[in-house]
Structures are given as structure tokens and as C-alpha cells.
Amino acid sequence: MIKIEALTVQFGGVRPLDGLDGEFKAPICGLIGPNGAGKTTLLNVLSGFVTPIKGGVFLDDVPLRSMSPVRRVAAGLRRTFQQELVVDELSARDNIQSIADHISARHEAQEQIDRAMAFVGLTPRATVPGRQLNLYERRMIEIGKTLIGKPKAILLDEPGAGLNESETDQLRRLLLRIPETFGAQLILIDHDADLIASVCIETMVLDFGKLLAFGPTRAVLDDPVVRRAYLGTA
């Protein structure tokens, strides 16, 4: 469970987050809004890459604000980025191994890597260099990294961007299995409203750093105010 209290971030004269409150309780939660709404900034605050001027963030009621990004990983927080951080010269397995070396004890790491590789469907591609993997496979490496160790919350920043319909469907089915299989909550940013609707139980909508709506996903997506701000429809 992730909780946000009175969260404010300021960059010069701009506040990408302004007094934001919310509590993500569902196994899979959506985070949506127009470009510039503050979605990635919120993930950066949760990850420890941006320091707020006010407010707090909590993981299972444990305050994160004073923790470094490394300590947050140790506490169970995981993160993907819009740009895949795949090392082209390393194999698919070695890309995940590079994360495991920093998270898991050596005697546990190989089993966890095998499990993550199998879960994201990359076992047959284990020895293929990163530069030869397609976009979907690179995204699977990023998700595979988040499954190493004992994740409590996984922050996913647009994992569906650029995927075709078939790949998006594979992604959807994979995301739905993560909470039960690994015991981790998912917070998902994506511009694909159909993906959000099909996997997220509850969804938060941001607009210029403020909370626009938060609740059951279908009700949120059907809200006329949200449709105008996010979907551009009446």
C-alpha cells in the first residue's frame, strides 16, 4: 500500500505536484492524466529521485522521505522507466542478473532470475544480447528486473507505449498475474485507456499537479470531467 500526504514538489516557479493526497490500496492501481499532469514526477518522488518541499510518502505505513533510492529498493519498492535501461552488450539474462547482484543474496539470486525470466517469457531468449531484442522483449526485461527480491510495490511508467495490439494483450495478462504471483502492488502509468480499464481496480487522475479524481477505474474513466481533461472528449 502506498500513501501520499500533502505532497508538494516545486521546480522554480512551477509546482508539478501541489498538495497531493491519496492512498493506493488495490492490487493494481492506475495513474493517469494529460501530459504535464505530474504523473512521472510522482513516481520520481516515490522512487527517491525528486525531493518534495512538503508532504510525505509511505510504503506499508513506513515513511520513505528520508530514505535513499537504494534503501527504498531494499524496502521493496521497484520501478521501470519510460526509456528501457537495457544494456545492449549484455544478454537478456545478464541484464536481469545485473540487478539481482545488488538486491538478492547470491544463493537466492539464480533461482529468482530463473523465475523472473520464465514469468516474463524470456527463458528461450536468455542468451540473446540486448541489442537484438525487440521493444516488447526489452520491456519484459525491465519488468523482470522489478520481480527480483521481494517487491512490495512496482511503479510502471508507460510499459505499453509503442506496443502493438497483440503485445499489449500479452502485457495485460502478465500484469494481472503479478500481484498474486509475487505479492506486489502495481502502480501503472499509461496513456492506453483500454489497458488501464482492463487491469486497474482503482485509478488516480492528476491534472496540473492536483488531484482531479480517484476511485474505481470504470467510474473514474466515465467521469465527464476526467474525459475532458484526459481523453479530450465531452
Side-chain angles (χ1 to χ4, degrees):
M1 180 182 69
I2 290 179
K3 184 165 58 176
I4 303 154
E5 291 185 350
L7 194 64
T8 301
V9 171
Q10 185 155 338
F11 300 140
V14 177
R15 287 192 170 184
L17 295 174
D18 191 1
L20 184 65
D21 290 292
E23 192 169 349
F24 294 104
K25 295 181 179 179
I28 307 180
C29 303
L31 179 59
I32 65 174
N35 290 332
K39 306 181 298 297
T40 296
T41 298
L42 177 54
L43 263 58
N44 286 338
V45 172
L46 290 168
S47 306
F49 301 128
V50 169
T51 301
I53 62 171
K54 179 183 176 184
V57 291
F58 303 82
L59 176 61
D60 291 343
D61 293 323
V62 175
L64 298 177
R65 183 164 175 171
S66 64
M67 291 187 185
S68 67
V70 172
R71 286 184 61 201
R72 296 183 197 207
V73 171
L77 195 68
R78 303 287 187 271
R79 166 80 187 273
T80 70
F81 296 83
Q82 293 179 15
Q83 181 65 42
E84 308 86 45
L85 304 179
V86 176
V87 180
D88 287 346
E89 291 73 24
L90 295 181
S91 68
R93 182 183 179 85
D94 286 346
N95 266 279
I96 295 180
Q97 172 83 53
S98 67
I99 298 299
D101 289 343
H102 299 285
I103 297 176
S104 300
R106 183 171 298 178
H107 69 280
E108 299 175 337
Q110 297 307 311
E111 180 180 347
Q112 292 178 3
I113 295 167
D114 288 341
R115 186 186 187 201
M117 291 283 292
F119 185 83
V120 299
L122 286 179
T123 300
R125 305 282 282 168
T127 61
V128 177
R131 64 178 174 273
Q132 295 181 17
L133 299 175
N134 63 35
L135 176 62
Y136 177 79
E137 292 168 334
R138 292 169 73 90
R139 294 279 168 79
M140 290 303 101
I141 284 182
E142 294 300 284
I143 292 176
K145 291 176 185 178
T146 71
L147 305 177
I148 299 296
K150 298 177 180 179
K152 292 182 179 179
I154 300 173
L155 314 176
L156 300 167
D157 199 348
E158 298 191 28
L163 301 183
N164 62 36
E165 185 175 347
S166 174
E167 292 166 341
T168 299
D169 185 57
Q170 292 179 68
L171 173 66
R172 177 188 61 80
R173 288 185 277 114
L174 182 138
L175 295 178
L176 287 169
R177 293 169 52 213
I178 290 177
E180 181 177 356
T181 305
F182 292 89
Q185 181 185 44
L186 302 184
I187 309 297
L188 171 64
I189 294 178
D190 211 278
H191 288 286
D192 185 338
D194 290 336
L195 178 61
I196 293 290
S198 65
V199 303
C200 298
I201 297 170
E202 61 182 13
T203 293
M204 173 183 284
V205 187
L206 300 182
D207 191 24
F208 296 106
K210 291 185 177 293
L211 182 66
L212 185 63
F214 192 20
T217 298
R218 190 67 267 166
V220 166
L221 292 177
D222 287 342
D223 186 324
V225 174
V226 172
R227 293 180 67 84
R228 282 194 297 270
Y230 174 58
L231 302 175
T233 61

